[in-house]
Amino acid sequence: MSQITGQAIAMIIYFVAMIIIGIWAYTRTKNLDDYMLGGRDLGPGVAALSAGASDMSGWLLMGLPGALYLNGIVEGWIAVGLTIGAWTSWKVVAPRLRSYTQVAGNSITVPSFLGNRLRDQTRSVRVVAGIIIFIFFTFYVSSGMVAGGTFFESAFGMDYHLGMVIVAAVVVLYTLVGGFLAVSWTDMVQGMMMLVALLAVPIAGVIALGGFDALSAGVSAVNPDFLAPFGNATAIGVISSLAWGLGYFGQPHIIVRYMALRSPKEAKQARRIGIGWMALSVIGAGGTAIVGIALNHVGVIKIGAGQHESVFIVTGQTLFPALVAGFMLAAILAAIMSTISSQLLVTSSAVVEDILNAKGERRRDAANSIVIGRIAVLLVSVLAAIFAWFKTDSILNLVAFAWAGFGAAFGPIVLLALYYRKLTWQGALAGMVSGAAVVGVWGTFKWFGLYEILPAFIIGLLVAWIISQLTYCENAEISAEFAAAVRLSTADSAGIEAEFKPAAKLAAPVFGADGNLYHEKEI
C-alpha cells in the first residue's frame, strides 16, 4: 500500500466516524440550549477530554513540539504553567461556575452569566464581553487556520494557501450543521487519538534510534544545552511562561465545558481525567521534539530551516506504516478543525445571546437565532482567513495573543463573580476593558519582555475590585443567589435534580422575600 493510499483510507474512515457522531448529536439537539450547551448533560470524561482537545489541539501537536525543537526544553515552562493553571481552574472555577450559571438565570454563555449574576440592566457587560469574544476569537481561529495550512504543506507538499482554504471550508460547514454535543463528543475522540499519537511517536523514535544512549548523543551533538531546564532563559522569561496558566480562568471555549457538566460534583472526576490526559500529552509533545532532533541529526528525517512546527508530522510519516501514519495525520487535522469549530460555536452563541439580543432575554425563535449565529460564524471565518492568508506570525504567537486577551479580560472577572459577592457590573465592565486594553498595548510594545497576560490580569483584577468597592450597593437577591450557588456547588447530581433542575427546564429561577430559591410559578 502506497503512503498516499494509506493516508487517504485512514482519513476517509476517520471523517465517516466524525459524521456519524455529528448525526447522532443532531438527533439529540432539540432547541437553542441543546445546540449551545448540550442540555447540561456532559459526563466528566467527555467534558474533560473535550476541554483538553479544544484547548490544546494544533498548538500541542505542532506549536509546542516546534518550540521545544527549536529552543530546547526551556520552552517547557509554558507546559508547566498550563498544567498548574488547568488543575487550579478545574478545582476552583468548574464546580461553582456549573452551579452559578444554572442559578443565575440558567445562563448558557459566559457573558450572559456575568450579566445575570451582576443584575446589569444596561446590558453593557454582556455586549462588551460579546465583542471581546468576537475580536479575540478571530485571532484564535486564525491560528487554527495557519495550523491547517501548515499541516497540508508539511504532510502532502500542498500549497499552504490551498490547505488553509480546505480546512476553513470544511470546518465552517461542520460548525454550521453541528452543535455543542457534536463538538464535545468529536473532541473527546480526538483527544484520545491525540494522546495515543503523542505517546507513540517518541516511543517509536527511541526504537528507531537504537535506544536512549543514541537519543542522548544525537540531542547533545545538536544542542548540548537542550535538556537544561533554564538554559539561557531569564527570570522574566520563566515567569512569562508560567503566567500562561492564568489564562485558563477566562477561556470561553474551555470553561463552557464546566457549565455543561451534569452536576458540580462531577468536576472532581473530570479534573483528574483532564489533568492526567494533559500531563501525558505534554510529556509526549516534549518527547516528540527530543526524538525529532536526534532523528534529524542522523538523517532518518529531514526538517529544514523554518519547518520546526512540522516535527510531529514528519516524524510520524517516517516511522509508521502508511495506514497508521494516515490515522495520526487525520487526528492532527481533525483536532485542528474541531478546535476551530468550538471557538466558532462560542462566538456564535455570544453574538446571538449577548450582542444582538436587544431585550436581554433568550430569543424564542430558535431557528432565527441559529441563522444569525451562522452569519457570525461566516464573518469570523472570513476575517480569520484574511489574517491566516498572509501567515504573518507563528501558531504559538497567534495563540499567545488570543490566550492573553481572554485570560486577562475574563479571568479576573470570572473569579470575582464566583467568589466575591460585592462585585458590581460597573467593576466587571471596567476590569474587562482594562484587561483587554493592556493586552493590546503591552502585546504591541513587548515591554520588559514580559508576557502581556500577567500585567493585564493584575490590572484587570485591581480595577474591577476598586470600582466595585466604589459602586457596591447591598442587594438581597444577589446575596441569596450567591449563597445558593455556593451551596449547590458541593451538591451531588441527585440533589441538583431534586432541588433545582426541574425549575431550570421551565424558566429561570427567582428568589422570594425569604431569600429562598423558587420557580416563578411557585410564587
Side-chain angles (χ1 to χ4, degrees):
M1 182 184 295
S2 69
Q3 187 178 53
I4 296 298
T5 301
Q7 292 174 358
I9 292 174
M11 287 194 175
I12 290 172
I13 293 173
Y14 182 81
F15 283 122
V16 168
M18 295 300 101
I19 291 170
I20 292 173
I21 293 174
I23 293 172
W24 168 82
Y26 177 79
T27 62
R28 296 190 57 183
T29 301
K30 307 300 182 184
N31 51 48
L32 189 62
D33 283 17
D34 289 341
Y35 185 80
M36 297 299 186
L37 204 58
R40 296 188 193 270
D41 198 33
L42 286 191
V46 177
L49 293 180
S50 65
S54 63
D55 165 25
M56 296 292 189
S57 97
W59 177 83
L60 180 64
L61 294 162
M62 300 175 71
L64 180 58
L68 293 168
Y69 179 94
L70 191 64
N71 299 317
I73 208 70
V74 66
E75 294 286 352
W77 286 110
I78 294 177
V80 173
L82 289 174
T83 304
I84 294 173
W87 185 92
T88 306
S89 182
W90 274 108
K91 176 72 174 180
V92 173
V93 175
R96 191 167 293 192
L97 184 65
R98 168 61 181 83
S99 65
Y100 217 149
T101 51
Q102 193 162 356
V103 171
N106 198 25
S107 308
I108 65 172
T109 67
V110 173
S112 67
F113 160 64
L114 294 175
N116 293 336
R117 152 74 173 87
L118 302 171
R119 298 301 192 274
D120 176 21
Q121 300 300 319
T122 69
R123 294 192 67 254
S124 301
V125 171
R126 291 182 66 169
V127 172
V128 171
I131 292 173
I132 290 173
I133 286 175
F134 189 87
I135 292 173
F136 282 106
F137 263 142
T138 299
F139 288 99
Y140 223 142
V141 172
S142 176
S143 72
M145 292 183 179
V146 171
T150 302
F151 166 84
F152 275 105
E153 186 179 45
S154 301
F156 303 105
M158 186 181 295
D159 178 71
Y160 164 80
H161 298 102
L162 178 59
M164 191 207 76
V165 169
I166 291 174
V167 170
V170 174
V171 77
V172 167
L173 288 174
Y174 178 85
T175 307
L176 291 179
V177 300
F180 185 84
L181 280 178
V183 169
S184 296
W185 278 89
T186 53
D187 276 358
M188 183 196 71
V189 174
Q190 290 152 5
M192 291 188 293
M193 293 181 68
M194 290 160 60
L195 176 60
V196 171
L198 282 167
L199 294 178
V201 166
I203 291 173
V206 172
I207 295 173
L209 287 164
F212 289 101
D213 290 340
L215 173 66
S216 177
V219 173
S220 298
V222 175
N223 182 1
D225 298 323
F226 180 86
L227 295 178
F230 294 97
N232 295 322
T234 62
I236 289 180
V238 174
I239 291 172
S240 293
S241 296
L242 292 173
W244 276 71
L246 292 173
Y248 274 101
F249 303 122
Q251 303 300 316
H253 62 300
I254 296 174
I255 63 177
V256 73
R257 264 68 177 188
Y258 308 162
M259 297 160 58
L261 282 166
R262 286 190 300 242
S263 75
K265 196 170 185 179
E266 289 189 336
K268 182 177 182 179
Q269 185 179 353
R271 182 181 75 243
R272 292 172 175 172
I273 296 172
I275 298 305
W277 176 91
M278 187 175 182
L280 290 174
S281 297
V282 167
I283 291 172
T288 297
I290 294 172
V291 300
I293 291 176
L295 291 170
N296 187 63
H297 175 66
V298 299
V300 175
I301 64 174
K302 182 174 178 57
I303 298 176
Q307 297 179 337
H308 51 281
E309 290 185 336
S310 66
V311 59
F312 178 87
I313 296 173
V314 174
T315 306
Q317 281 184 312
T318 304
L319 298 182
F320 292 95
L323 188 62
V324 177
F327 277 112
M328 296 177 69
L329 294 180
I332 299 172
L333 180 60
I336 292 170
M337 291 165 53
S338 183
T339 299
I340 297 174
S341 69
S342 297
Q343 295 162 350
L344 289 176
L345 188 64
V346 171
T347 306
S348 172
S349 63
V351 170
V352 173
E353 282 282 292
D354 308 308
I355 297 178
L356 299 180
N357 190 350
K359 294 182 179 180
E361 299 175 354
R362 192 158 308 149
R363 290 179 178 268
R364 302 301 181 186
D365 186 354
N368 187 47
S369 297
I370 293 174
V371 168
I372 296 173
R374 286 171 174 167
I375 294 173
V377 166
L378 291 174
L379 179 58
V380 173
S381 300
V382 170
L383 292 175
I386 292 173
F387 285 114
W389 183 267
F390 298 101
K391 199 180 181 181
T392 55
D393 217 337
S394 71
I395 298 170
L396 189 59
N397 287 338
L398 287 169
V399 170
F401 180 72
W403 184 268
F406 284 126
F410 293 133
I413 310 306
V414 168
L415 289 173
L416 289 173
L418 297 178
Y419 287 93
Y420 180 55
R421 182 175 57 86
K422 295 182 179 182
L423 178 68
T424 65
W425 71 263
Q426 296 96 328
L429 182 63
M432 280 194 302
V433 173
S434 299
V438 172
V439 166
V441 175
W442 200 291
T444 299
F445 293 100
K446 306 292 184 184
W447 288 317
F448 312 114
L450 182 66
Y451 184 26
E452 55 266 26
I453 193 173
L454 185 56
F457 191 98
I458 294 173
I459 290 173
L461 183 68
L462 288 176
V463 169
W465 181 78
I466 291 171
I467 298 300
S468 293
Q469 286 287 311
L470 297 175
T471 57
Y472 178 73
C473 294
E474 188 66 32
N475 186 310
E477 188 175 271
I478 290 179
S479 297
E481 189 176 82
F482 188 92
V486 172
R487 178 167 49 86
L488 291 174
S489 67
T490 59
D492 59 20
S493 58
I496 289 286
E497 186 69 30
E499 182 172 1
F500 189 77
K501 201 168 185 179
K505 289 179 178 177
L506 296 174
V510 295
F511 290 85
D514 57 1
N516 291 325
L517 187 66
Y518 293 99
H519 181 259
E520 62 181 2
K521 292 183 179 180
E522 298 173 348
I523 295 184

